[in-house]
Amino acid sequence: MGNKQTTFRDEQFEAYQDCTFFTRKEILRLHGRYRELAPHLVPLDYTNDPDIKLPLTLLINMPELKENPFRDRIVQTFSEDGQGNLSFNDFVDMFSALCESSSRELKTIYAFKIYDFNRDNFICKEDMEKTINKLTKGELTPEEVTLVCDKAIEEADLDGDSKLSFADFENMISKAPDFLSTFHVRI
Amino acid sequence: MTSQLQRQGSAAAVQGTGYTGDQGLPRLRRAPSSQSYQNGPQFNWSPASAGREKAEEGAVEPPKSLRSLPIPMALKRAICQVQQMHVPVLSSLQSWKRSKAKSLSRVRSYIGGFLNYITLWRKSLNKIGGNFGGGVQSYFLFLRFLVVLNFLSFMLIAGFVLIPSIVFRSVASGPMNITGPAECLQYDPNPQGLVKFHNYFLDLLTGTGFMESSYLFYGYYNNTMVAGSDFSYNIPLAYLFTAIFYFAFCLLCITARMGTAFRVAVATGGGAIGSYSRIVFTGWDFGCLGDRAMKLKQKNIIYQLQVDLEEERIKNKAATLTLGQKIFLYSLRIFLSLVAFGLIIAAFFSIFAATNFSQGKTGEVGVLGLFFEYLPSIVITAGNFVVPLLCDQIALLERYDPSITVIVALLRSVFLRMVSLSVLLFTLWNQITCKQRVSAEDCTLCHYNYKSYPCWETRVGQEMYKLALFDLIITIAMLVLVEFPRRMVVDGSSSKLAQWVGRQEFQVPANVLGLVYGQTVVWTGALFCPLLPVINTLKFVIVFYCKKITLFYNCRPATKTFRSTWATAFFLLVLLFGWSLGLLVLIYSMAQIHPSMSCGPFRSLISMWTIVPNSFYNLSQTSQDFLFYLGSQRFSIPLFLFFSVVMCYFIALASVHGKSVNLLKTQLKLEARDKQFLVKQIEELSRTLGVAR
């Protein structure tokens, strides 16, 4: 039906391929997914880099994120304003960091940011308790939650300040063999 | 807008601190405390600036390091543009190198995309991983690896043995004449007289009749040695070397794949420590899809945490056991291990008896004959099913830790499967070489039991063929007769018993052992049944689709996870055990037993290996001298010394790395204490200054 409308210019494709772990085809597919979240908001033609952001409520209903207990935190971490509004750049950035070929260091950095609920660059006891409650949806008793929390911090804390800094977190993650395969969203 | 981002980019580069610094970066963080921003995930801005410097020197670093930077996309693109706008002063050689490297990386990404496209079953595996997790996916990845391995082996065998045999059979004269006692040379597998139609079907299942005189089995190949003016092809030599290279090729593939798996397992230190933090932070599979899978994943994590807490309680209790209770526990464990061992020995004895019985009853016709033919396979399969069940119950009684129980049960199953196959082979060999018959004169004439086995290699090949086929039949039968009805009963009825039994779980270890057993059968039988790899390829493809169907329709996701990284390495190790069993069979057949005089490519030789020395002396003198030199001490001793030196180097390197890792860990702890001390001092100073003011 008429001419094939181009979504991106070639320079844009090259820039995306250099800055993310995706190929050309995958970037087009991501654009399709981004567009189908709000077809009336997101234009097909992205050659002029339009400044469009989708709100948090639309993004956490994506099938890949819908069942994830940390979906709010993931979207907030990758948004520029910290409130969860993602532009297409941020959208691609998010899935690139979480994809299969992403590097371990990158994933560790973002995992730390996701689990740090109060954004003070430490995973303290409250952050841990929130994480465990989100994971288990209240199936564990509060005493069990506190016990698990204390044990986890005790295992990972190296510098003895009873909260996890990034160095502690990174050290703990380096010993977890499944981290790369679990911290991975398939899109 | 671009120029503004440019300025921000260069401003941040100049700053050179952690990205949580607040000026000039578009990602705002509300009020980072001055103390804590040093703890934020630091990344070095210097790769970006170093990339720019390196670009001036002509290297091509920027694209790779950009991807791994944890900064927002808009900033990354800005940096990209800045780097492109930086026109470095390069010589023509350097710019040529840069452009070549860039096009090479583009080509590599295209090839990667193409390989991704043609990878077998990629979408199915993604779907399985999304719905059932990494443990189940690792089983299917292992299955795919075996399919590809078998297919490539078949290409090898077809190219060097099968196709030349077909070509030379139609071209060359007949098999070479051989001398020997007349009784040893009698062998006619073709069925005599009128053959009933249903016999064709029975022959398909047992490999006799029309299948015996086909390229499927060893007996049909001739010992043609074509020697033209400029072309010669020695079929027996090709057959032998193809078998050896097939084993070497499989070993190469397995060790290559094991290398990656073990590297990950060793680097993470086995994951023994930090189980709570590991579960909390890496337990949730972010790729999990589906509402049902999500609920089960949650139950999984809760179960794991509760199991860990329970183990902790048990350990605390175990530490308080009295001496008498400890003695009781250990003697109970020894007794139950002996019971398990006794069960396994009983299984072996029944396989031995069944094989002897079946070999004695050859020649029966009809369905009863089919039953007797398949008796060893039936007994092996029954043993492989019953004994692990009993061993699991015994392991529960032994009251080990839950993780040790799994490992103990797994090791027992592996032992059972591998050794039951070797018992079968051992009984066959005994009969072929009359080790335990009363009338040993059966073997004196031809050096093997020519009365019962006119062409013993084909018989061994037929046994392996039957084992492989029976395995496939059992898999399909289990799917149709056990798994589907179970699901229909559980879903249909609402009785308490049905709900308690529940839908089945996909047992990864048991299924993987089944695959390893199937592959071991192929390896032991490949010398005698050259087309067994292609039969196995088809069989594994059918198994893939059967298991996929049963997974999606009949199974529920496991409540206990199966750690996939450790698992892959373990599966490959078990596969290597199977490979060494096949190698043992190959070596013994090639070197010890006299080949049949009435069939096969080695019919005129004392042992299969003697073809190599015989053909060796046909080579030119220089080649002979060269090969003699390679085998002499003058070459092998310096080679051995060289390899010892290289190995010492690697061992020393590994220990140095280990020591430096430990050193860095202690440094990390000391740094943190220093930082705390300094922070305390700052607070004290500010307090005294504040008070003084």
Side-chain angles (χ1 to χ4, degrees), chain A residues 9 12 14-26 49 63-64 67-70 73-74 76-83 89-90 92-93 96 98 100 103-106 109-110 112-116 119-123 128 131-132 134-137 139-140 144 147-148 151-153 155-156 158-161 163-169 171-179 181-186, chain B residues 1 19-20 26-33 35-37 39-43 62-64 66-74 76-77 80 84 102 106 109-110 113 116-117 125-127 129-130 133-134 137 264-265 267-291 294 297-298 301-302 305-306 309 312-313 563-566 665 668-669 672-673 675-676:
Chain A
R9 297 190 310 272
Q12 287 176 309
E14 276 199 30
Y16 277 126
Q17 277 181 297
D18 281 339
C19 299
T20 66
F21 294 97
F22 289 128
T23 62
R24 213 173 166 110
K25 220 169 44 146
E26 286 164 339
D49 279 323
E64 285 84 3
E67 312 294 351
N68 198 322
F70 301 108
R73 282 297 306 149
I74 295 174
Q76 280 168 2
T77 308
F78 284 96
S79 67
E80 284 189 20
D81 55 4
Q83 299 303 319
N89 279 337
D90 299 328
V92 172
D93 205 16
S96 167
L98 292 172
E100 205 168 10
S103 69
R104 199 189 183 94
E105 295 78 26
L106 193 66
I109 291 175
Y110 278 120
F112 185 78
K113 288 207 270 176
I114 288 174
Y115 291 126
D116 183 13
R119 300 185 206 164
D120 62 349
N121 290 319
F122 281 106
I123 297 183
M128 277 290 269
T131 309
I132 296 175
K134 273 197 195 270
L135 272 179
T136 58
K137 283 262 177 68
E139 293 279 336
L140 291 178
E144 286 178 328
L147 197 60
V148 172
K151 280 210 172 308
I153 292 188
E155 280 167 355
L158 282 181
D159 48 15
D161 56 359
K163 46 189 178 174
L164 302 182
S165 65
F166 179 66
D168 300 331
F169 184 76
N171 184 39
M172 187 263 299
I173 288 287
S174 70
K175 299 208 190 72
D178 300 330
F179 175 66
S181 53
T182 53
F183 199 73
H184 155 215
V185 174
R186 294 176 182 85
Chain B
M1 188 178 100
Y19 71 97
T20 49
R27 184 171 291 169
L28 301 168
R29 293 261 155 172
R30 303 290 166 203
S33 57
Q35 170 192 19
S36 59
Y37 93 94
N39 294 328
Q42 299 274 8
F43 79 91
K64 244 181 277 187
L66 257 188
R67 282 186 191 149
S68 321
L69 294 180
I71 48 174
M73 174 66 85
K76 271 194 241 187
R77 290 174 68 178
C80 207
Q84 277 170 359
K102 226 181 173 172
R106 285 272 176 265
S109 62
Y110 281 136
N116 233 11
Y117 183 69
L125 287 172
N126 272 342
K127 202 167 139 198
Q137 195 188 18
V264 173
T268 55
I273 35 174
S275 53
Y276 286 99
S277 40
R278 185 175 43 81
I279 294 174
V280 170
F281 289 120
T282 65
W284 182 264
D285 189 352
F286 277 52
C288 211
L289 301 168
D291 188 34
M294 188 265 305
K297 191 73 197 175
Q298 261 183 336
I301 292 184
I302 295 169
L305 288 173
Q306 284 176 333
L309 287 171
E312 187 87 16
R313 260 176 253 151
R563 294 242 307 277
S564 41
T565 332
W566 170 87
K665 274 194 213 163
L668 204 71
K669 287 192 196 158
R673 300 244 168 81
K675 182 183 46 137
Q676 279 183 329

Side-chain angles (χ1 to χ4, degrees), chain B residues 260-272:
Chain B
T260 27
F262 267 121
R263 214 174 297 144
V264 173
V266 166
T268 55

Side-chain angles (χ1 to χ4, degrees), chain B residues 183-225:
Chain B
E183 296 94 345
C184 300
L185 299 174
Q186 278 170 1
Y187 174 65
D188 190 8
N190 290 317
Q192 307 297 332
L194 211 58
V195 180
K196 295 204 188 84
F197 181 70
H198 72 272
N199 277 339
Y200 281 118
F201 183 65
L202 290 174
D203 286 341
L204 189 72
L205 288 179
T206 57
T208 46
F210 78 95
M211 294 207 68
E212 193 165 339
S213 48
S214 71
Y215 284 106
L216 186 62
F217 292 113
Y218 169 98
Y220 196 61
Y221 291 84
N222 284 327
N223 58 347
T224 29
M225 297 191 219

Side-chain angles (χ1 to χ4, degrees), chain B residues 405-605:
Chain B
T405 314
V406 169
I407 295 175
V408 165
L410 212 60
L411 285 175
R412 284 189 183 140
S413 305
V414 168
F415 180 67
L416 175 71
R417 288 217 167 202
M418 292 296 126
V419 183
S420 61
L421 190 62
S422 27
V423 167
L424 172 69
L425 291 165
F426 181 70
T427 24
L428 274 177
W429 256 249
N430 268 352
Q431 294 194 329
I432 292 170
T433 52
C434 320
K435 282 283 163 52
Q436 46 116 23
R437 270 303 164 81
V438 176
S439 53
E441 65 251 20
D442 279 346
C443 291
T444 44
L445 194 57
C446 313
H447 307 280
Y448 59 90
N449 193 345
Y450 70 94
K451 287 222 183 88
S452 322
Y453 303 96
C455 188
W456 62 265
E457 293 98 341
T458 304
R459 285 296 293 281
V460 178
Q462 281 169 341
E463 283 297 329
M464 297 298 125
Y465 173 76
K466 280 185 281 188
L467 278 178
L469 214 55
F470 190 67
D471 202 23
L472 178 66
I473 291 173
I474 283 290
T475 308
I476 299 180
M478 285 283 282
L479 174 70
V480 171
L481 297 176
V482 174
E483 294 171 3
F484 267 109
R486 176 173 171 171
R487 186 196 68 145
M488 288 198 272
V489 164
V490 168
D491 283 350
S493 83
S494 50
S495 71
K496 262 216 135 83
L497 181 68
Q499 295 313 313
W500 177 73
V501 168
R503 278 198 185 192
Q504 69 178 92
E505 274 182 29
F506 191 83
Q507 302 283 356
V508 173
N511 279 302
V512 166
L513 284 181
L515 288 183
V516 170
Y517 169 74
Q519 187 61 41
T520 309
V521 164
V522 169
W523 277 325
T524 49
L527 183 65
F528 310 110
C529 178
L531 292 188
L532 205 51
V534 72
I535 292 176
N536 209 42
T537 310
L538 294 170
K539 172 183 154 192
F540 277 162
V541 168
I542 295 176
V543 165
F544 181 90
Y545 286 111
C546 285
K547 291 290 177 189
K548 193 177 125 184
I549 290 172
T550 202
L551 188 68
F552 280 107
Y553 284 104
N554 301 338
C555 293
R556 56 184 162 96
T559 43
K560 298 187 257 208
T561 44
F562 195 76
R563 294 242 307 277
S564 41
T565 332
W566 170 87
T568 321
F570 182 69
F571 299 161
L572 290 167
L573 200 64
V574 177
L575 195 65
L576 214 55
F577 283 146
W579 178 88
S580 42
L581 181 66
L583 188 71
L584 212 66
V585 168
L586 180 82
I587 293 175
Y588 188 70
S589 318
M590 277 211 275
Q592 282 290 93
I593 311 184
H594 197 286
S596 310
M597 289 199 215
S598 52
C599 61
F602 298 100
R603 59 185 83 176
S604 52
L605 305 165

